[in-house]
Amino acid sequence: TRVGGVIFGALLSSLALKLFVQKAQLVPSGITGVTTLFQKEISSVFGINIPFGPLFLLFNVLVFLFVSKHIGKKFVTLSFIHVGFTSLFVSMIPSISLTEDVLLLTIFGGILNGLGISLALKMGGSSGGLDFISIYYATVKNKPMWHNVLIFNMFLLLYNGWRYDWTLSFYSIIYQFISTEILSNFHDRYKLSSLRIITIFPDEVSDAILKQVRHGITRFEGYGVFQKKTRYMLYMVVNSFEIKDVLNAIKEADPKAFIEVSTVNRIEGNFHQRPIE
């Protein structure tokens, strides 16, 4: 189920934080990084140790209030399930020393964190925090915004390096780069693909596709040179995660249809993005 997938993603993120990030004293990304730095500042300046979980939850609530009118209730609910269970798991998981090698902790922590967030997104939620803002703007611009989030995280690291430790900041760059690459490769909501479909049943194929997605289809008439018969080409752009459903619909309408799938780097103009529920 979606909830189970989000909870498992929260477990992966929690393991990354507890066993890798905290062990190596890295600065993680997004709101987690802001929370960690805030903890350090309060402890350094006032000598007060604030628990990570409640502080992490507070920052997420503040970000949510900022974008609450622009994202769906299901997405928010699943995101807060992820945030809540991440806070819970971080408090419950014992501190286990897997290795003293900071580079290994950095690499495998980044992989685990990227997988945890990717799973939450796959299930229709997120890890909260900057994901809310990133996904909102990605919906508007029809392109992934994860590398923009990475830029924000770089400023966190520059501050951490200036204030505390440049070496750990450099390791944290590696951690965040790995997490972002895992995330951008696994999360395909804002990746686009074009389809060129050659068929003799253009109306039937078009109707079948439009039952699955709400994207425009352009129809061309052509001539099949080999069989010397009239053919039709349908052209459209879809989100990559929609391809499987679209291909199944095409094959049901015309099992002999010829289909080309290509990666789209950029589009201009109107493109319907399925709303985040």
Side-chain angles (χ1 to χ4, degrees):
T1 64
R2 286 190 174 189
V3 173
V6 168
I7 293 174
F8 185 67
L11 177 60
L12 295 180
S13 296
S14 302
L15 289 171
L17 284 169
K18 190 74 173 187
L19 303 184
F20 296 87
V21 172
Q22 293 183 4
K23 174 65 177 177
Q25 298 183 332
L26 302 177
V27 180
S29 59
I31 295 300
T32 307
V34 173
T35 305
T36 303
L37 275 175
F38 191 81
Q39 276 185 303
K40 285 184 177 182
E41 288 297 302
I42 294 298
S43 177
S44 174
V45 176
F46 299 105
I48 300 173
N49 294 318
I50 302 177
F52 175 87
L55 191 60
F56 178 64
L57 198 58
L58 173 63
F59 283 133
N60 275 281
V61 169
L62 293 175
V63 173
F64 162 69
L65 292 175
F66 178 71
V67 299
S68 58
K69 295 181 180 179
H70 306 288
I71 50 181
K73 293 181 179 178
K74 287 184 181 179
F75 175 76
V76 172
T77 301
L78 290 171
S79 296
F80 271 98
I81 288 174
H82 187 279
V83 171
F85 273 92
T86 298
S87 301
L88 177 64
F89 289 145
V90 167
S91 302
M92 293 174 58
I93 296 171
S95 297
I96 302 172
S97 181
L98 299 175
T99 177
E100 299 296 325
D101 191 316
V102 178
L103 182 58
L104 289 178
L105 292 170
T106 299
I107 294 171
F108 286 97
I111 293 172
L112 205 58
N113 184 60
L115 291 174
I117 298 175
S118 296
L119 183 56
L121 290 166
K122 205 78 172 177
M123 295 296 105
S126 73
S127 63
L130 294 185
D131 286 1
F132 286 151
I133 297 174
S134 177
I135 288 175
Y136 168 67
Y137 281 109
T139 303
V140 173
K141 295 180 179 295
N142 286 321
K143 65 179 182 179
M145 300 295 288
W146 304 118
H147 289 95
N148 296 71
V149 173
L150 181 61
I151 293 173
F152 171 82
N153 292 327
M154 296 295 290
F155 284 101
L156 284 181
L157 293 175
L158 289 172
Y159 178 83
N160 182 75
W162 169 73
R163 189 77 171 81
Y164 297 103
D165 189 321
W166 283 110
T167 300
L168 290 179
S169 288
F170 292 145
Y171 278 119
S172 297
I173 290 173
I174 298 173
Y175 170 85
Q176 292 179 16
F177 178 78
I178 292 172
S179 290
T180 302
E181 287 303 305
I182 293 287
L183 184 55
S184 61
N185 283 317
F186 278 89
H187 186 228
D188 56 4
R189 180 178 178 84
Y190 302 104
K191 293 179 180 178
L192 302 174
S193 297
S194 64
L195 297 178
R196 290 179 177 84
I197 307 141
I198 308 300
T199 179
I200 58 174
F201 304 112
D203 294 328
E204 292 84 347
V205 171
S206 297
D207 290 342
I209 293 172
L210 292 176
K211 289 179 181 178
Q212 300 296 324
V213 297
R214 291 180 56 195
H215 299 304
I217 302 172
T218 302
R219 170 172 160 176
F220 302 91
E221 184 174 334
Y223 184 74
V225 175
F226 182 76
Q227 293 186 340
K228 303 187 185 304
K229 293 182 179 179
T230 299
R231 294 288 185 269
Y232 297 90
M233 184 179 80
L234 304 175
Y235 173 79
M236 67 182 306
V237 175
V238 300
N239 291 101
S240 294
F241 72 90
E242 297 171 321
I243 288 178
K244 182 178 179 181
D245 291 338
V246 171
L247 291 181
N248 288 337
I250 294 170
K251 290 174 183 177
E252 281 189 24
D254 181 6
K256 295 183 179 181
F258 179 85
I259 308 166
E260 178 207 347
V261 181
S262 302
T263 301
V264 175
N265 292 322
R266 177 178 174 179
I267 58 171
E268 295 289 341
N270 184 40
F271 178 80
H272 175 78
Q273 189 71 256
R274 184 184 296 178
I276 299 175
E277 298 178 352

